[in-house]
Amino acid sequence: MGLNVKPLSDRVVIEPVAAENKTASGIIIPETAKEKPQKGKVVAVGKGTKKHEMTVKEGDTVLYGKYAGTELKLDGKDYLIMREDDILAIV
Amino acid sequence: MGLNVKPLSDRVVIEPVAAENKTASGIIIPETAKEKPQKGKVVAVGKGTKKHEMTVKEGDTVLYGKYAGTELKLDGKDYLIMREDDILAIV
Amino acid sequence: MGLNVKPLSDRVVIEPVAAENKTASGIIIPETAKEKPQKGKVVAVGKGTKKHEMTVKEGDTVLYGKYAGTELKLDGKDYLIMREDDILAIV
Amino acid sequence: MGLNVKPLSDRVVIEPVAAENKTASGIIIPETAKEKPQKGKVVAVGKGTKKHEMTVKEGDTVLYGKYAGTELKLDGKDYLIMREDDILAIV
Amino acid sequence: MGLNVKPLSDRVVIEPVAAENKTASGIIIPETAKEKPQKGKVVAVGKGTKKHEMTVKEGDTVLYGKYAGTELKLDGKDYLIMREDDILAIV
Amino acid sequence: MGLNVKPLSDRVVIEPVAAENKTASGIIIPETAKEKPQKGKVVAVGKGTKKHEMTVKEGDTVLYGKYAGTELKLDGKDYLIMREDDILAIV
Amino acid sequence: MGLNVKPLSDRVVIEPVAAENKTASGIIIPETAKEKPQKGKVVAVGKGTKKHEMTVKEGDTVLYGKYAGTELKLDGKDYLIMREDDILAIV
């Protein structure tokens, strides 16, 4: 994980997993019909706060709400940064 | 419960129980008239927080408000993930 | 009270007392003019929380605000489930 | 005070004092022009909470804001039930 | 201060100081152009709460925001009752 | 600082520094185009609260947000009174 | 860092890094199409509060949300002042 970013407090940087652009039966979904991805890989974790100890670790695959986080471009790639509390579950 | 999901903090993953599509007297209710299910089975429980100790356990059947939780697709099946505080009662 | 329901945290299940459909002088009030009941009997009580110790007990008759609680159908009967803090008084 | 009502937590039951329907100079004020009473007599007091110790006692005459409280009918008479914090002053 | 009123908790009763109806150069300001008074004399002080110890005393002249407080008529005179936190300064 | 005003709790009285009415190149800016001042001199400081110890002192020049504070006229001059938390920085 | 400004409490003064006005392939982006910068250099840091210990230091390059902070002109240059909690990450 050579990403040079230190999220502040209880924030986590997530690399979204690209949404599938084919249905199970092989039909190609046009770009606009694809759901915004809600799954991603944790690439950087803040130190937490007195009130919030961190649970997720780098490398975890997590689920998060559709509108969670702020988009971030780092080294030309798109990431999301969000508070750990916006992460729903580790899968 | 082979479901591979660990809800964060005080969240719970619930498998909704399908709404009945027949009335007690056997009349079939068309899809659009069926109430969205409000009953489900707990399939995964978070560790809780300092402020919120968990009460429900895997396997409990619970009641929850109509608009509670976020829909989640895991292994092709639909689940809900919600904070335990959105669960009304164990039945 | 054979009702099989355990309200979570500081919630209470209430069986509403049907509104009178006759005035004191015997005039029958049509269904739509009847006030939604605001009086009910407590049928199940949660364990409370660290912050909220429960006061009401099963069997108490209580008053509650017109829009308090969530409607619940249990064994074919209508109940309300609400936080104890939405109960105004024991009568 | 034979009123059979126990307000929960930091609530108080108040019997509103009817607004005067004559001005000081004896002019009769029509019903619609009368101000909603903001003065009343305390008829029942809750036990308070850990955070809120009760100050008013049964029999106190109190002032409260125009829109404070919930209307309540007990034994055919109109009362108000409100949190003590909605009471402005004892007069 | 013969005023018979005991404000609850951290409330203060204030007698507004009438706004000047002449400008410095003697021009009379019509009623509708006068600013609502924002200065007043403290006539009664509550006991405060665990969280809020009272600072103002009876007789203090205080400044308060234009829309602070609730109007109150006591013995035929107009007063304002507000939380001490709505008082800006003692002058 | 002969100003006779004692701000309550964590409030501060500020004398705004008049906005420049000439641009650097000497062009006169009409009154309506001038920015509302955001810089001022502290002329009176409250005692603070248990939760908020005061940092600014009389005589400090401070920066504050455009819409911070309440306007106040004292001895015919215009001041602002605001909570210390609305002050952004000491310059 | 000769900047003469002391941010209050948990605030930080940031010098925004100018947005690129050329795309990677050398196309010049007109002023109105340029994204407002979200990256900046910390030039002054407040002392923090009992609840919030400061993490960033002078000289850190930080990322912040598009609408974070208040614009500030100091010695003729534009800065942003924001609470440390509005800073997303150190890069």
Side-chain angles (χ1 to χ4, degrees):
Chain A
M1 295 287 136
L3 198 69
N4 184 26
V5 59
K6 277 181 271 178
L8 281 207
S9 70
D10 56 350
R11 287 184 179 87
V12 173
V13 177
I14 290 171
E15 185 184 340
V17 172
E20 311 283 313
N21 63 356
K22 266 199 280 191
T23 65
S25 51
I27 296 167
I28 288 154
I29 311 166
E31 194 67 23
T32 53
K34 275 194 295 180
E35 277 217 323
K36 215 182 134 192
Q38 292 181 260
K39 194 191 271 195
K41 204 162 132 191
V42 174
V43 295
V45 179
K47 290 187 177 172
T49 65
K50 276 175 217 168
K51 281 193 175 167
H52 186 100
E53 247 174 272
M54 302 306 279
T55 303
V56 302
K57 299 178 312 294
E58 280 190 29
D60 280 349
T61 301
V62 294
L63 302 173
Y64 48 88
K66 261 181 204 171
Y67 305 108
T70 300
E71 292 178 16
L72 213 67
K73 193 160 255 176
L74 295 167
D75 305 339
K77 276 182 71 177
D78 289 321
Y79 294 92
L80 280 170
I81 185 161
M82 63 184 72
R83 296 188 176 273
E84 193 185 68
D85 209 47
D86 291 331
I87 296 178
L88 300 170
I90 303 172
V91 287
Chain B
M1 294 289 136
L3 199 68
N4 185 26
V5 59
K6 278 181 269 177
L8 282 207
S9 70
D10 56 349
R11 287 185 179 87
V12 173
V13 177
I14 291 170
E15 185 183 341
V17 172
E20 310 283 313
N21 63 356
K22 266 198 279 191
T23 65
S25 53
I27 295 166
I28 288 154
I29 311 166
E31 194 69 22
T32 53
K34 275 194 294 179
E35 277 217 322
K36 215 181 135 193
Q38 293 181 261
K39 194 190 271 195
K41 204 161 132 191
V42 174
V43 295
V45 179
K47 290 186 176 172
T49 65
K50 276 175 216 168
K51 281 192 175 168
H52 187 100
E53 246 175 274
M54 302 306 280
T55 303
V56 302
K57 298 179 311 294
E58 279 190 30
D60 280 349
T61 301
V62 294
L63 302 174
Y64 48 87
K66 262 182 201 167
Y67 305 107
T70 300
E71 292 177 17
L72 212 68
K73 192 160 254 177
L74 295 167
D75 304 339
K77 276 182 70 177
D78 290 320
Y79 295 93
L80 281 170
I81 185 162
M82 63 183 74
R83 296 188 177 274
E84 193 186 66
D85 209 47
D86 291 332
I87 296 178
L88 301 170
I90 302 171
V91 286
Chain C
M1 294 290 137
L3 199 67
N4 185 26
V5 59
K6 279 182 270 176
L8 282 207
S9 70
D10 56 350
R11 288 186 179 86
V12 173
V13 177
I14 290 171
E15 185 183 341
V17 171
E20 310 282 313
N21 63 356
K22 266 199 280 191
T23 65
S25 53
I27 295 167
I28 287 154
I29 312 166
E31 194 69 23
T32 53
K34 275 193 295 178
E35 276 216 322
K36 215 180 135 194
Q38 292 181 261
K39 193 191 272 194
K41 204 161 131 192
V42 174
V43 296
V45 179
K47 290 187 178 173
T49 66
K50 278 175 215 168
K51 282 192 174 168
H52 187 100
E53 246 174 90
M54 303 305 280
T55 303
V56 301
K57 299 179 312 294
E58 279 190 31
D60 280 349
T61 301
V62 294
L63 302 173
Y64 49 88
K66 261 182 202 168
Y67 305 108
T70 300
E71 291 177 17
L72 213 67
K73 192 159 257 177
L74 296 166
D75 304 339
K77 277 182 68 177
D78 290 320
Y79 295 92
L80 281 170
I81 185 161
M82 62 184 74
R83 297 189 177 273
E84 193 187 67
D85 209 47
D86 291 331
I87 297 178
L88 301 170
I90 303 171
V91 285
Chain D
M1 292 289 137
L3 199 67
N4 184 27
V5 59
K6 277 182 270 176
L8 282 208
S9 71
D10 56 349
R11 288 185 178 87
V12 173
V13 177
I14 290 170
E15 185 184 341
V17 171
E20 310 283 313
N21 63 355
K22 267 198 280 191
T23 65
S25 52
I27 295 167
I28 287 154
I29 311 166
E31 193 69 23
T32 54
K34 275 194 295 178
E35 277 216 322
K36 214 182 136 194
Q38 291 181 261
K39 194 191 272 194
K41 203 160 131 192
V42 174
V43 296
V45 179
K47 290 188 177 171
T49 66
K50 277 175 215 168
K51 281 192 174 168
H52 186 100
E53 247 175 90
M54 303 306 280
T55 302
V56 302
K57 299 180 311 294
E58 279 190 30
D60 280 349
T61 300
V62 295
L63 303 174
Y64 48 87
K66 261 182 203 168
Y67 305 108
T70 299
E71 291 177 18
L72 214 66
K73 192 160 258 177
L74 296 167
D75 305 338
K77 276 182 70 176
D78 289 321
Y79 295 92
L80 280 169
I81 186 161
M82 62 184 73
R83 297 188 176 272
E84 193 187 67
D85 209 47
D86 291 331
I87 297 178
L88 301 169
I90 303 170
V91 286
Chain E
M1 293 290 136
L3 198 69
N4 185 26
V5 59
K6 277 181 270 176
L8 281 207
S9 70
D10 56 349
R11 287 187 179 85
V12 173
V13 177
I14 290 170
E15 185 185 341
V17 171
E20 311 282 314
N21 63 354
K22 267 198 280 191
T23 65
S25 52
I27 295 167
I28 287 155
I29 311 166
E31 193 69 22
T32 54
K34 275 193 296 178
E35 277 216 321
K36 213 183 135 195
Q38 292 181 262
K39 195 191 269 192
K41 204 161 131 192
V42 174
V43 296
V45 178
K47 290 186 178 174
T49 65
K50 276 174 217 169
K51 282 192 174 168
H52 187 100
E53 246 174 273
M54 302 307 279
T55 302
V56 302
K57 299 179 311 293
E58 280 191 30
D60 280 348
T61 301
V62 294
L63 302 174
Y64 48 87
K66 261 182 204 168
Y67 305 108
T70 300
E71 291 176 18
L72 213 67
K73 193 159 258 177
L74 296 167
D75 305 339
K77 277 183 70 176
D78 289 320
Y79 295 93
L80 280 170
I81 185 162
M82 62 184 72
R83 297 188 175 273
E84 193 187 66
D85 208 48
D86 290 332
I87 297 178
L88 301 170
I90 303 171
V91 286
Chain F
M1 293 289 136
L3 198 69
N4 185 26
V5 59
K6 278 181 271 177
L8 281 207
S9 70
D10 55 350
R11 287 186 180 87
V12 172
V13 177
I14 289 170
E15 185 184 340
V17 171
E20 310 283 315
N21 64 354
K22 267 200 280 192
T23 65
S25 53
I27 296 168
I28 286 154
I29 311 167
E31 193 68 24
T32 54
K34 275 193 298 179
E35 276 217 322
K36 216 182 132 194
Q38 291 182 261
K39 194 190 270 193
K41 204 161 131 190
V42 174
V43 295
V45 179
K47 290 187 178 172
T49 66
K50 276 174 218 169
K51 282 192 174 167
H52 187 100
E53 246 174 273
M54 301 307 279
T55 302
V56 303
K57 300 178 312 293
E58 279 190 29
D60 281 348
T61 300
V62 294
L63 302 174
Y64 48 87
K66 260 181 204 168
Y67 306 108
T70 300
E71 291 177 18
L72 213 67
K73 192 159 257 177
L74 296 167
D75 304 340
K77 276 183 68 176
D78 289 320
Y79 295 93
L80 281 170
I81 186 162
M82 63 183 73
R83 297 189 176 272
E84 194 187 67
D85 209 46
D86 290 331
I87 297 179
L88 301 170
I90 303 171
V91 287
Chain G
M1 295 287 136
L3 197 70
N4 185 26
V5 59
K6 277 181 271 176
L8 281 207
S9 70
D10 56 350
R11 287 186 179 87
V12 173
V13 177
I14 290 171
E15 185 184 340
V17 172
E20 310 283 314
N21 63 355
K22 266 200 281 192
T23 66
S25 53
I27 295 168
I28 287 154
I29 311 167
E31 193 67 24
T32 52
K34 275 193 298 180
E35 276 217 322
K36 215 181 134 193
Q38 291 181 259
K39 193 191 272 195
K41 204 161 132 190
V42 174
V43 295
V45 179
K47 290 187 178 172
T49 65
K50 276 175 218 168
K51 281 192 174 168
H52 186 100
E53 247 175 273
M54 301 306 279
T55 302
V56 303
K57 300 177 313 292
E58 279 190 30
D60 281 348
T61 301
V62 294
L63 302 174
Y64 48 88
K66 262 181 204 169
Y67 306 108
T70 299
E71 292 178 18
L72 213 67
K73 192 159 257 176
L74 295 168
D75 304 340
K77 276 182 68 176
D78 288 321
Y79 294 93
L80 281 170
I81 185 162
M82 63 184 73
R83 296 189 175 272
E84 192 186 68
D85 209 46
D86 290 332
I87 296 179
L88 301 169
I90 303 172
V91 287

